[in-house]
Amino acid sequence: MTTLTAIGRTATPWDVARVRADFPILSREVHGRPLVYLDSAATAQKPRAVIDAISRYYETGNANVHRGVHALSQEATNGYEAVRVLASRFLGAASPHEIVFTSGTTAGLNLVAQSYGGSTLRPGDEILVSEMEHHSNLVPWQLVAERTGAAVRPIPIMESGGLDLAAFEKLLSGRTRIVAVTHASNVIGAINPINAIAAMAHEVGAVVVVDGAQSAPHLRVDLQAIDCDFFTCSGHKLYGPTGIGLLYGKYTLLEQMPPWQGGGGMIRDVRIDRSTFAPPPERFEAGTPPIAEVVGLGAAIEYVMQWDWEALVGYEQDLVAEAAQRLAKVPGVRILGEGADRVSVLSFVMEGIHPHDAGTVLDTLGIAVRAGHHCCQPLMRRFGVPATIRASFGAYNTLDEVEALVSGLGQVRRVLGA
């Protein structure tokens, strides 16, 4: 197996073979060939520690949380709340009370849009979103704008893939109430300078909402340092289970927000004609939560917190840089956003070949990539393409797998005649 020393940027080598051994699925074959999994931006694979934690919960500790007086319920509650504390430490929040469990990034963004946006926006207010946003950080703002009379305005991106900060600064005004941006693009991997964006937005009194789905698994996030007001991420991209995510909100903002959903667990007192509500974060966690998924997320966070993150970030960035160099030598390949600093996500097109066709041929070789618009249709239009092939890398990917992808694209050209 080719190692990091073949790329050679980080001082501390990343032991990718050791990491791969923790992920059972990586030993399987697809269509009789070793699995080459290059779709971690869609969902990451799960280490044995996460799989075992979920199984152990169901086998030995299954119970509903909160208000239970029996031992199993109290154990489940303690475990559930311990993950909140752990998540707060992992993201650098000021307090565990600033962490809300959601079903994922999409739910977190909808919660902020409907609760914070729905209660504060007025006709004539403006919401700024970038052209590179996932639909999850665009459609919720469109919906709340229709309800409140606010307007959604785009922050342009440059051909290089980076956010146009000069244009962003010109868009900011006394009408700007919310700036919603991704920390790292799920299509081109471009990393946005949230510190600078937050500072500029705060100068005009706007709050900053960050989609961290792609940054949390690939960058060492420190929420107090970047000073955003809200931040969302998903467990399943962070090597944890599906159906669970995290929403961070500054507590002073969460306190002001009305409930998003009503039901058990989020109330203080209920009468027939009115109710009062629990403080955050309970106010935003109505009903029985995804307890096993929270347990699995806790195991995932514990697992990744053992890593040398400097080594991981360096390894992944070197890996994606090497992938870009090798892909650029494939005839007919065009990489989108080639000039941006990026996390380990690459999107490209092949002249004369539809991404879906390329992805189908690659699948026959055991290579899993994503083909489509990646829930980013405005970004596709910005680059003048209907869809792309996306290769996204995780902590377990190798240079050998990059080479398998490059070789596979040669097969794509032969099969499809381009």
Side-chain angles (χ1 to χ4, degrees):
M1 180 178 294
T2 311
T3 66
L4 180 63
T5 54
I7 310 175
R9 180 159 69 91
T10 57
T12 304
W14 179 251
D15 192 346
V16 68
R18 180 178 178 182
V19 172
R20 287 180 66 84
D22 293 335
F23 291 79
I25 199 170
L26 298 181
S27 63
R28 70 161 288 179
E29 293 186 346
V30 173
H31 303 305
R33 295 173 179 264
L35 170 64
V36 176
Y37 187 77
L38 304 179
D39 199 21
S40 291
T43 196
Q45 296 300 340
K46 319 307 173 193
R48 174 64 66 187
V50 169
I51 298 167
D52 288 348
I54 295 171
S55 295
R56 187 163 55 248
Y57 165 76
Y58 278 128
E59 289 173 352
T60 67
N62 180 48
N64 213 328
V65 295
H66 303 141
R67 300 176 305 283
V69 297
H70 59 83
L72 284 180
S73 178
Q74 292 181 24
E75 288 174 6
T77 299
N78 290 340
Y80 180 86
E81 293 301 334
V83 177
R84 197 188 307 276
V85 174
L86 185 66
S88 173
R89 284 176 42 215
F90 176 66
L91 294 175
S95 163
H97 299 298
E98 296 181 323
I99 300 295
V100 179
F101 291 125
T102 70
S103 63
T105 302
T106 299
L109 292 167
N110 275 274
L111 192 164
V112 176
Q114 293 183 33
S115 179
Y116 179 80
S119 63
T120 61
L121 291 169
R122 301 291 181 266
D125 289 345
E126 293 182 350
I127 306 160
L128 303 186
V129 301
S130 84
E131 289 182 313
M132 68 175 72
E133 295 311 308
H134 189 284
H135 296 164
S136 294
N137 203 22
L138 175 57
V139 177
W141 302 113
Q142 293 172 343
L143 294 174
V144 76
E146 290 175 5
R147 261 177 45 212
T148 62
V152 177
R153 300 190 65 189
I155 307 167
I157 66 168
M158 300 177 290
E159 189 65 27
S160 65
L163 201 67
D164 189 335
L165 290 180
F168 170 59
E169 188 171 21
K170 290 177 182 177
L171 285 167
L172 290 168
S173 73
R175 297 185 300 274
T176 308
R177 296 289 177 264
I178 294 169
V179 176
V181 292
T182 185
H183 197 174
S185 167
N186 70 299
V187 177
I188 58 176
I191 301 170
N192 286 323
I194 300 300
N195 303 64
I197 292 167
M200 294 162 70
H202 290 159
E203 283 186 7
V204 299
V207 303
V208 178
V209 182
V210 176
D211 173 354
Q214 299 299 333
S215 63
H218 302 294
L219 302 173
R220 199 68 183 96
V221 174
D222 184 341
L223 292 174
Q224 292 185 75
I226 65 176
D227 197 29
C228 62
D229 300 288
F230 297 98
F231 181 97
T232 62
C233 62
S234 296
H236 71 99
K237 299 182 196 297
L238 191 60
Y239 306 99
T242 55
I244 183 64
L246 300 170
L247 166 65
Y248 157 83
K250 289 182 177 176
Y251 197 78
T252 53
L253 295 175
L254 292 175
E255 275 187 310
Q256 300 167 25
M257 291 162 53
W260 180 40
Q261 297 175 319
M266 49 73 69
I267 54 85
R268 177 173 283 155
D269 183 63
V270 176
R271 307 296 174 94
I272 289 295
D273 60 342
R274 66 189 184 278
S275 297
T276 57
F277 305 110
E282 290 85 1
R283 183 183 302 168
F284 306 107
E285 295 179 5
T288 296
I291 305 165
E293 287 77 6
V294 169
V295 169
L297 176 61
I301 293 174
E302 284 184 337
Y303 175 76
V304 302
M305 285 181 74
Q306 297 174 23
W307 289 346
D308 179 338
W309 272 75
E310 182 179 357
L312 170 65
V313 171
Y315 177 81
E316 288 189 342
Q317 291 186 346
D318 284 342
L319 189 66
V320 74
E322 182 70 14
Q325 289 182 20
R326 298 189 187 190
L327 287 171
K329 296 175 183 177
V330 177
V333 164
R334 171 193 166 204
I335 299 173
L336 275 62
E338 208 168 353
D341 291 333
R342 58 163 63 96
V343 294
S344 51
V345 178
L346 275 179
S347 275
F348 58 95
V349 292
M350 300 183 72
E351 186 177 358
I353 297 175
H354 195 283
H356 291 168
D357 295 332
T360 300
V361 174
L362 290 172
D363 179 60
T364 66
L365 304 174
I367 302 170
V369 296
R370 183 73 36 169
H373 57 64
H374 316 295
C375 298
C376 283
Q377 288 179 313
L379 184 63
M380 297 294 111
R381 293 189 183 97
R382 168 63 182 80
F383 283 108
V385 298
T388 74
I389 306 159
R390 185 182 70 188
S392 52
F393 307 91
Y396 36 61
N397 288 120
T398 68
L399 275 174
D400 290 341
E401 292 178 314
V402 170
E403 190 53 43
L405 172 62
V406 173
S407 176
L409 294 180
Q411 178 70 359
V412 168
R413 290 173 56 82
R414 287 189 290 274
V415 170
L416 299 177

